Amino acid sequence: MVTVFGKRIRFFRPRTIWVRRVVQWFFFLLIVLISINHTLAEGGGGLSFLSSASLHAVCPFGGVETLYTFAASGLLVKKIHDSSLVLAGIVLILSFLFGPVFCGWVCPLGTVQEWVGKFGKKIFKRRYNHFIPTRIDSILHYARYGILAWVLYVTATSGTLIFESYDPYFALFNFWSTEVAWSAIAVLGVTLLLSVFVERPWCKYACPYGAVLGVTNLFRVFSIKRAESTCKADGACSIMCPMNIPVDSVKVVRDHQCISCLECTSEAICPVAKTVVLTSGGVK
Amino acid sequence: MTLTSKPLAVIVLILVFGGILFSSMMGWWATESTKQPVTFSEGEFAGQANPADIRGSYTFGDIANSFDVTPEILAQAFGITEGNPSEFAVKELEVIYLDSGFEIGTASVRLFVAYYTGLPFDTTDQEIYMPQSATDILLAKGNLSPEQVAYLEKYTVTVDASIPAEEPVVDATPAPAVSSSTTSEEFTVKGKTTFGELLSWGVTQEVIEAIIGTSMPDPAMSVKDFASANGLDFESLKPALQSEVDKVKP
């Protein structure tokens, strides 16, 4: 409440998890700089204090893609390095503890979709992210498992990163390179365009890595839990959820789409303290 | 235990960068290839480098460090006539042969190295194309099994090896292992003709050594350079070598 010209006015705006935005910015800039440095290093230049690793080397999904080849022959798929396996292991540990926190806090492609989504929110207000009927939306959520199966199959049988030709992450941070296929640029373009209407469309419907990490929502140590005793059932948590999860209708969020962004919690949109929380214990 | 965003952010950062630091200390963190292919872990070839692990980032020099094949032979096989063969990166082949309609790249180099060195390589369900110049060298070496020869016959495409690396011209049709499109001009012994070319034309190492009177040098060495280095007259070697070439040329 503030007093302006003698009148008491309440400026209300939903609280957000600002520290998440900082972490997202950090990883976005880090990947941009590494990618540019990689290009410079290939030309004989680059900054010595910054990693000049390729995008593949700093993407944990590469560790998933190469798993079959690694188990079968001890080799890594072409363009994948040991660092991908290490990162995949770290992200898996994070996900066992907190769910797909990588998607909500680290992945730069998710971050960019969120940024584009801000335009959509300004244009469409509350209709944003609610264009697709719930029933169809919930079915489409499983498409990413089909894509995951396809990616794993073609990678295992070909020994190469076929997915690279369709990967919007690779296109986004390497679009200036001749290595990027037009198909990947097209997928990126469609993803960014859809982001104006739907929050994180790639994450929701197509991301194969999100599909892998999403499974950890079923048994993660720290879960999003709602205390029914104090819940006002105003639905704010569900409206705020970027992944369209009906948080207000469950006690524990076990939805495979949850990205642990915490935007539904009492620290952000929920107006009641300690009602929607990230916890390893129980709530009343 | 309940967590809020700030402790979660700290935990995420600590786990990510702590994990990277820990893996570095353990020697697990590698963002680029060591240029050392993994070795066969069992069987007859245990301990030897595995050609299947050759990466696009390897140079021909890197390959020569791990396998018994010189950068010059690799350059000759893949039509690289400019620059230092040792510094040529394998992944550049994909760019050079981009317009050929066939993927000639890292897999082709892996197959070539495997066949050249006699190391095992699984081609099951793989379509690995090979330029004619590479197939010629492999056939001349004479250590291929009938199955390997059949595979090469199926997946060889004709390539003019004399075209500079920047401007390859590739015939977009698979050709028999020994191309009938090769002209007689290419079977003429000249000053720049290398021993590798003589081998690829079908002249055996024994015949060459009988003519030059000593062990055959590096296949990448030209006959003229060899003659100069050993005090021999190239013009006297040339007719004898040409005679042998004429006997075996198609």
Side-chain angles (χ1 to χ4, degrees), chain A residues 6-43:
Chain A
K7 289 184 178 179
R8 296 184 76 198
I9 298 172
R10 176 174 183 169
F11 287 97
F12 173 80
R13 77 177 171 82
R15 288 167 294 172
T16 58
I17 306 294
W18 65 267
V19 70
R20 187 174 75 91
R21 312 262 187 243
V22 173
V23 173
Q24 284 180 304
W25 262 105
F26 172 76
F27 280 105
F28 173 81
L29 291 174
L30 185 66
I31 295 299
V32 167
L33 290 173
I34 287 175
S35 189
I36 292 172
N37 206 38
H38 176 70
T39 304
L40 295 174
E42 282 197 321

Side-chain angles (χ1 to χ4, degrees), chain A residues 148-159:
Chain A
L148 171 66
W150 172 76
V151 170
L152 294 181
Y153 175 76
V154 296
T155 309
T157 51
S158 70

